[in-house]
Amino acid sequence: MARVLVTGSTDGLGLATAETLLEDGHDVIVHARSAQRRAAVQHLIERGAHCLVAELADPADVRQMADQANQIGAIDALIHNAGVLNGFALLPVNVVAPYVLTALIQGPRRLIYLSSGMHRGGDTGLSGLDWSGRSATASYSTSKLHVTALSAAVARLAPRIVSSAVDPGWVPTRMGGRSAPDDLRLGHRTQEWLATSNDPAALSTGGYWYHQRTHAPHPAVQDQRYQDALLAQLAEHTGVTLEALA
């Protein structure tokens, strides 16, 4: 049995992931962005899941969430599932929050970051980005390029941790829309497998995955200079670094 924290667990892929992991006998920590949204995972809480409440666009909430997760302790895997499609919260939720939670939550040996095939259309330029979210300075594609590079950087800097990025496909969730053509079940199977399986493939670090197969990401993802520049900006903005992971 593994203890797995899934961010953004109140609907879509996050909820499906949490439900499946709980059904499979794992200890699950779910996350809701507000007390009102907590009701969406009440059925999981009643079955033993822990629940953390935090608005990931709020830096103070993110740090408090990390503290609460550390108080629970012994987290084996962290699935960075939460994300938004547009708006001022795009960079804070899709990139900054995963970075801070990676840096501050102690213990997970498996980190899974939700990417998107759209990351290949992202902009590698890092100048002029407003990480605070006071203004909208990046596209969804760019945010997913950043978080995919973050996953690769963690794999490089912390070889004891299995760090992976996952393209779940275009699936019929609230974000993806009802007409999305991909299989919803396949959209969360890879995350569950990476979080809990002892298959040697699942224990290999640095992969960019789509339906349990590795694919080549945007070339910038593996560019150490791009990774380092991205991490430097995130460290300057947040005041935290990934040094403790090494």
Side-chain angles (χ1 to χ4, degrees):
M1 183 181 73
R3 176 173 287 165
V4 185
L5 168 55
V6 185
T7 70
S9 323
T10 56
D11 61 14
L13 289 173
L15 178 58
T17 301
E19 288 176 336
T20 302
L21 289 170
L22 198 61
E23 288 170 4
D24 289 346
H26 297 289
D27 189 0
V28 178
I29 306 171
V30 294
H31 157 251
R33 69 175 182 269
S34 67
Q36 291 74 21
R37 291 298 295 155
R38 188 178 187 273
V41 289
Q42 184 60 37
H43 65 296
L44 301 182
I45 296 168
E46 291 172 356
R47 292 166 53 195
H50 300 272
C51 183
L52 303 177
V53 176
E55 169 52 72
L56 297 185
D58 183 332
D61 266 23
V62 175
R63 289 172 182 262
Q64 183 178 30
M65 178 176 169
D67 288 342
Q68 292 173 346
N70 289 333
Q71 290 171 16
I72 295 172
I75 296 172
D76 299 296
L78 170 52
I79 301 176
H80 295 284
N81 169 83
V84 296
L85 189 57
N86 49 42
F88 290 175
L90 193 68
L91 288 178
V93 173
N94 292 9
V95 187
V96 178
Y99 171 82
V100 172
L101 294 175
T102 295
L104 297 185
I105 292 181
Q106 301 163 6
R109 293 300 180 95
R110 305 191 194 198
L111 299 173
I112 298 101
Y113 300 81
L114 264 287
S115 180
S116 165
M118 293 176 67
H119 88 278
R120 294 186 177 88
D123 186 348
T124 59
L126 294 170
S127 62
L129 293 176
D130 183 356
W131 298 107
S132 71
R134 294 186 183 91
S135 58
T137 56
S139 67
Y140 177 79
S141 296
T142 295
S143 75
K144 289 303 181 180
L145 176 58
H146 293 332
V147 81
T148 308
L150 170 60
S151 172
V154 171
R156 173 173 62 89
L157 297 171
R160 68 182 182 84
I161 292 173
V162 177
S163 178
S164 309
V166 176
D167 170 10
W170 183 11
V171 292
T173 61
R174 182 171 57 86
M175 182 181 288
R178 293 182 180 179
S179 61
D182 286 354
D183 186 328
L184 179 61
R185 176 67 189 96
L186 293 178
H188 55 98
R189 180 180 294 167
T190 302
Q191 297 90 289
E192 299 152 7
W193 176 70
L194 288 169
T196 63
S197 175
N198 288 322
D199 184 321
L203 296 173
S204 63
T205 192
Y208 173 76
W209 295 87
Y210 174 73
H211 295 178
Q212 292 181 270
R213 294 181 181 274
T214 53
H215 289 247
H218 188 296
V221 167
Q222 299 295 344
D223 184 334
Q224 184 174 333
R225 291 173 300 176
Y226 170 64
Q227 292 176 10
D228 289 344
L230 173 65
L231 296 184
Q233 285 208 13
L234 290 169
E236 181 178 5
H237 171 67
T238 63
V240 299
T241 71
L242 300 183
E243 291 179 358
L245 298 181

